[in-house]
């Protein structure tokens, strides 16, 4: 016989809410670590990634920050798991070449996770991606541009960076 | 009165762990099918389906490097993303198109057109879709003119997961 659990809320045994189920069967996970930010607020060269890597160190708009994942512009992993990550730059500050990339910093090493690149004939190519990545607690994800080419437009509707726990 | 359960692990009755809940209420679902695979060819190519021979993770082993396809293990709603960071037109005008295909039918595509003699731009696509067990998902590349994609590991990626 199939076993069925009928419940409105599932908590850790310490009493912290992990999941709620409403009368329509919709499941909410209010403690799921997630972050969504937009708009370049601050940036700084980070030559530990590569010589002209301009890291975004602050965002002008914070839409979501569950679990305090946002740390100095980076997504800091709160618990080991598989995460969905994305970054997008929709516009540059000139029609020069433009680069968009993401790095993983594990406390000692910077590893490039992805890059995209556009030609020098137009300033509104969309650069970016999303993907899944197993990450360890305290890993940090950082994004930015190549300072040898066009900067990113800084407005909040022209760039975004997100991360959330999948499993 | 609302019913509440306090628990650290949820399992199927046969004992397979489906979810763990830590003291902050964070839920991990270690059996959720998901994968990410990347290219290894640091050169421009037109091979299709696009190969992703380096598997970064493959929970449930549903992505195959021999076919470059993800085979759906259980009916549900899935999210996919194909990242092609760098499509080039080597000479003359041309265009390139990246499809996410289910059972070899295009369900979403992204299209680049470079009217100049040469140039390069990214071409990525995402898809949220309801699928049946044994449906097959892959990434197709279609080119006109001299369009080609760069097949390196940070420029060429395919990932997906069961949403629910």
């Amino acid at each position: 016989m199939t076993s069925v659990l009928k419940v409105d809320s599932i908590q850790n045994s310490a009493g912290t809410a992990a999941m709620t189920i409403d009368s329509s069967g919709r499941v909410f996970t209010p403690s799921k670590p997630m972050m969504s930010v937009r708009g370049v607020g601050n940036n700084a060269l980070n030559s530990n990634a590569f010589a002209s890597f301009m890291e975004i160190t602050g965002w002008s708009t914070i839409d979501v920050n569950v679990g305090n994942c946002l740390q100095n512009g980076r997504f800091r992993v709160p618990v080991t798991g598989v995460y969905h990550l994305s970054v997008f730059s929709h516009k540059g500050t000139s029609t020069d070449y433009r680069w968009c990339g993401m790095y993983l910093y594990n406390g000692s090493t910077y590893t490039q996770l992805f890059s995209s690149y556009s030609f020098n004939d137009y300033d509104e190519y969309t650069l970016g991606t999303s993907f899944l990545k197993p990450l360890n607690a305290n890993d940090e994800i950082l994004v930015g541009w190549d300072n040898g080419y066009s900067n990113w437009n800084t407005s909040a509707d022209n760039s975004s960076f997100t991360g959330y726990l999948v499993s | 009165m609302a019913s509440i359960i306090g628990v650290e692990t949820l399992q199927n009755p046969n004992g397979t762990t489906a979810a763990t809940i830590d003291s902050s209420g964070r839920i991990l679902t270690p059996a959720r099918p998901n994968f990410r695979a990347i290219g290894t060819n640091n050169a421009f190519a037109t091979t299709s389906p696009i190969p992703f021979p380096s598997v970064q993770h493959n929970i449930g082993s549903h992505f195959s490097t021999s076919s470059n396809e993800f085979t759906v293990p259980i009916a549900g709603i899935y999210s996919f993303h194909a990242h092609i960071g760098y499509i080039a037109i080597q000479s003359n005008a041309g265009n390139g198109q990246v499809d996410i295909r289910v059972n070899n039918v295009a369900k979403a595509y992204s299209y680049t057109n470079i009217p100049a003699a040469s140039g390069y731009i990214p071409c990525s696509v995402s898809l949220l879709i309801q699928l049946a067990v044994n449906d097959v998902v892959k990434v197709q590349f279609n080119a006109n003119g001299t369009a080609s994609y760069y097949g390196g590991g940070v420029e060429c990626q395919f990932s997906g997961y069961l949403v629910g």
Side-chain angles (χ1 to χ4, degrees):
Chain A
M1 178 180 172
T2 302
S3 56
V4 178
L5 177 64
K6 296 182 179 180
V7 67
D8 299 305
S9 177
I10 295 178
Q11 302 178 342
N12 174 274
S13 54
T16 305
M19 179 187 297
T20 62
I21 305 171
D22 72 8
S23 59
S24 297
R26 295 172 296 205
V27 176
F28 296 87
T29 53
S31 300
K32 182 194 290 279
M34 62 177 68
M35 179 201 84
S36 178
V37 294
R38 295 178 288 124
V40 178
N42 295 292
N43 49 271
L45 276 174
N46 180 350
S47 60
N48 292 311
F50 66 87
S52 56
F53 178 64
M54 185 65 80
E55 179 183 346
I56 298 173
T57 55
W59 299 84
S60 63
T61 301
I62 301 170
D63 292 317
V64 179
N65 188 20
V66 177
N68 203 27
C69 301
L70 179 62
Q71 300 284 333
N72 300 315
R74 298 182 177 187
F75 179 80
R76 191 166 193 267
V77 175
V79 60
T80 298
V82 176
Y83 285 79
H84 184 277
L85 303 167
S86 78
V87 60
F88 288 94
S89 164
H90 301 292
K91 188 174 183 178
T93 55
S94 76
T95 56
D96 195 3
Y97 304 100
R98 183 160 41 98
W99 186 89
C100 172
M102 180 184 289
Y103 275 82
L104 161 66
Y105 179 63
N106 65 2
S108 59
T109 303
Y110 287 86
T111 302
Q112 187 178 342
L113 298 180
F114 111 95
S115 72
S116 58
Y117 193 40
S118 61
F119 200 51
N120 63 347
D121 60 345
Y122 187 52
D123 65 348
E124 294 195 52
Y125 290 126
T126 290
L127 309 182
T129 196
S130 67
F131 59 94
L132 299 178
K133 173 74 177 165
L135 296 169
N136 295 317
N138 300 318
D139 281 350
E140 295 179 343
I141 303 297
L142 50 151
V143 300
W145 64 80
D146 186 328
N147 204 43
Y149 304 124
S150 170
N151 295 354
W152 293 5
N153 181 288
T154 59
S155 67
D157 59 350
N158 276 320
S159 58
S160 64
F161 177 32
T162 71
Y164 61 87
L165 176 64
V166 171
S167 68
Chain B
M1 178 182 172
S3 55
I4 298 173
I5 289 178
V7 67
E8 268 122 18
T9 302
L10 295 173
Q11 297 181 345
N12 175 276
N14 69 11
T16 304
T17 295
T20 62
I21 304 171
D22 72 8
S23 59
S24 296
R26 297 175 298 204
I27 301 170
L28 299 177
T29 52
R32 183 190 302 269
N34 71 88
F35 75 98
R36 174 172 167 253
I38 66 176
T40 58
N41 178 23
N42 291 317
F44 287 101
T46 57
T47 305
S48 186
I50 296 176
F52 303 96
S54 177
V55 171
Q56 302 298 291
H57 72 279
N58 195 9
I59 306 301
S61 300
H62 306 299
F63 179 80
S64 166
T65 55
S66 59
S67 63
N68 296 296
E69 295 171 337
F70 175 81
T71 301
V72 172
I74 181 173
I77 295 172
Y78 287 77
S79 174
F80 296 94
H81 185 82
H83 165 67
I84 307 300
Y86 193 175
I87 285 183
I89 307 297
Q90 307 289 359
S91 63
N92 302 320
N95 59 69
Q97 177 177 318
V98 176
D99 298 347
I100 295 179
R101 293 187 167 227
V102 176
N103 301 330
N104 207 29
V105 176
K107 297 296 184 181
Y109 75 84
S110 189
Y111 177 82
T112 65
N113 178 47
I114 301 177
S118 63
Y120 35 84
I121 54 177
C123 190
S124 297
V125 59
S126 294
L127 176 66
L128 185 71
I129 188 169
Q130 186 156 20
L131 297 173
V133 64
N134 292 326
D135 280 348
V136 173
V137 184
K138 65 181 177 180
V139 182
Q140 187 90 7
F141 181 69
N142 303 301
N144 283 317
T146 57
S148 58
Y149 61 88
Y150 196 77
V154 295
E155 296 87 359
C156 194
Q157 306 187 354
F158 182 34
S159 61
Y161 68 97
L162 173 65
V163 174

